[in-house]
Amino acid sequence: MKVGFIGFGEVASTLSEGLLAHGVEVSTFLEGRSQRSVELAKSSGVNLLNSLTELTDSSDILLSAVVPAEAVSVAKKVGGGFKGVYVDLNNVSPGTVKEAFSYILNGKTVDGAIMGGIKNGLGTPIVASGEFAENFAELNQYGMNIEVIGPEVGQASGLKMLRSAYTKGVSALLFESFHAAYQMGVDETLLRYLTLSEGSHFPESANSRLTSSAYHSQRRAQEMEEVVKFLSEYTDPVINRATCEFFQSLPDKTGPMPKRLAKYGEVFQKVDKNRL
Amino acid sequence: MKVGFIGFGEVASTLSEGLLAHGVEVSTFLEGRSQRSVELAKSSGVNLLNSLTELTDSSDILLSAVVPAEAVSVAKKVGGGFKGVYVDLNNVSPGTVKEAFSYILNGKTVDGAIMGGIKNGLGTPIVASGEFAENFAELNQYGMNIEVIGPEVGQASGLKMLRSAYTKGVSALLFESFHAAYQMGVDETLLRYLTLSEGSHFPESANSRLTSSAYHSQRRAQEMEEVVKFLSEYTDPVINRATCEFFQSLPDKTGPMPKRLAKYGEVFQKVDKNRL
């Protein structure tokens, strides 16, 4: 089994380490890659090829793991010359996956999405969909944790987007609720009563979501724009559109909340210190 | 200690049963009440007085537990003649509580909100706020479960509204997410992956929230209109406004989802059978 990585960041580096340990022949190419990718690749022990063409020529399965903006352009470069299994593992929307696959004229395309932190190594849960998803899942024999969730391209990347949009929606709702509760002097009581209905993990999860919303509001807003575009094919995304709007306007409304919420956890103190 | 109930529905009936058992003298009046209230009062063993005036004359603490639409009008009738502790336990907004209290010229007003199902009896958690909340909390000596959460009228009723708005927001988000997921054929997978991040109670809670959203969408929409009005004093309620809009439009979008989701629990099958 010969696996080739297009792109060699954290995902490729982690997966290749595990695959090598399971006896898989792993390669990547260096031409045009960032310095960090080149360093990661050199220290990983994978075969270093010069060009993408060399890589496609010598791989049974190609895994695309690049930055989102490159997902389509690398697929375009691979083009019609590759006849093996081509897996898009990038953090992109179903629409972008389909656009990328429109260039893979002869390969067996698979939509893949990494569902957990890649820090879990080769065992990180990955979902896969599309006609050829089972071909990709053969890598489970070498320690990977791939679950085939459906026969259509777009299901895996769509699932990941839906999960992430749900989490962002909850974060926005939390922020709006606790912003008002803080001003009313009932934020701690609200936290306590919501913990009764939402479960004992609620304070920790609320704290981490509020913090990360405050830190990354503009990136969240951009991600939600993609989600809204994607969901509009299926429904009128009333709540997701509001989540997007909320994150767009967040820097204007943090006000005094973070200071008060700081007592919910050390993490929130960072928010306070940074005076968001 | 003499407690008088204005209104004698489920709340008054349950609380008075417990208070009587703890030796409290409990009264209500029958004039102008619904037949059900009269029956509940007669079977409860409380003192039956003829008029509201008789009740105010013989009570240390008056508990208003009427339908939301009557909260202000009963307070108006009580007026300036009552000098004891007047507790509004009704399911109304802080604005309505304040309007009601504007008529209680000489009483010690307390904002109260029932936070759990009244089926828990006298031990049902009740939050109270306002300058005189501690006077109401003296009933804890007789088995009640009253928590004073702040010195201002509006905090207790506001807390209850915030908690309920959060739950409704999560329900709307769930509905929108699973509606799209169902159409993509990934609803079950989404449920499974969200359970990993949201906790093991997630499937049951999601199921019950989806069901109750589908059944009660129009009432939810009306309640959210009140929430939006109330929250607008504190923030631009982007998400809560969307929750309101979502419930207003819900009957138009249930589509085929309930059928598929039926397998998540028996409850959802009812939704399916009713062809919402």
Side-chain angles (χ1 to χ4, degrees), chain A residues 206-245:
Chain A
N207 191 16
S208 121
R209 284 169 178 179
L210 285 167
T211 310
S212 118
S213 300
Y215 270 122
H216 305 299
S217 60
Q218 292 315 295
R219 201 177 76 202
R220 294 269 187 290
Q222 285 160 11
E223 288 164 351
M224 286 307 301
E225 280 170 28
E226 288 297 303
V227 168
V228 168
K229 214 187 294 172
F230 152 60
L231 283 183
S232 298
E233 290 176 44
Y234 299 98
T235 187
D236 176 20
V238 178
I239 307 292
N240 282 279
R241 207 183 297 118
T243 305
C244 183
E245 195 190 323

Side-chain angles (χ1 to χ4, degrees), chain A residues 127 147 155 166 170 173 176 179 183-184 192-193 198 201 209 234-240 242 253, chain B residues 127 147 155 166 170 173 176 179 183-184 192-193 198 201 209 234-240 242 253:
Chain A
V127 291
E147 183 192 2
Q155 288 177 308
Y166 179 84
V170 169
L173 178 59
E176 195 165 294
H179 185 226
Q183 291 173 80
M184 295 170 59
R192 194 150 41 78
Y193 273 96
E198 306 306 305
H201 73 300
R209 284 169 178 179
Y234 299 98
T235 187
D236 176 20
V238 178
I239 307 292
N240 282 279
K253 40 166 86 171
Chain B
V127 291
E147 182 193 2
Q155 289 177 308
Y166 178 84
V170 169
L173 178 60
E176 196 166 293
H179 185 227
Q183 290 173 80
M184 296 170 59
R192 193 152 41 79
Y193 274 96
E198 306 305 305
H201 72 301
R209 284 170 176 176
Y234 300 98
T235 187
D236 176 20
V238 178
I239 307 292
N240 282 278
K253 41 166 85 167

Side-chain angles (χ1 to χ4, degrees), chain A residues 115 147 149-150 154-156 158-160 162-163 166 234, chain B residues 174-195 202-203 206-207 210 254 256-265 268:
Chain A
M115 297 298 283
E147 183 192 2
I149 63 158
Q155 288 177 308
L159 174 75
K160 181 170 181 167
L162 277 174
R163 186 186 65 162
Y166 179 84
Y234 299 98
Chain B
L174 277 170
F175 218 103
E176 196 166 293
S177 306
F178 279 92
H179 185 227
Y182 165 70
Q183 290 173 80
M184 296 170 59
V186 297
D187 48 336
E188 287 171 71
T189 321
L190 180 64
L191 188 81
R192 193 152 41 79
Y193 274 96
L194 281 176
T195 302
F202 183 76
N207 191 14
L210 286 167
T254 49
M257 189 190 64
K259 189 166 180 182
R260 176 71 171 262
L261 283 184
K263 68 181 73 154
Y264 294 151
F268 226 92

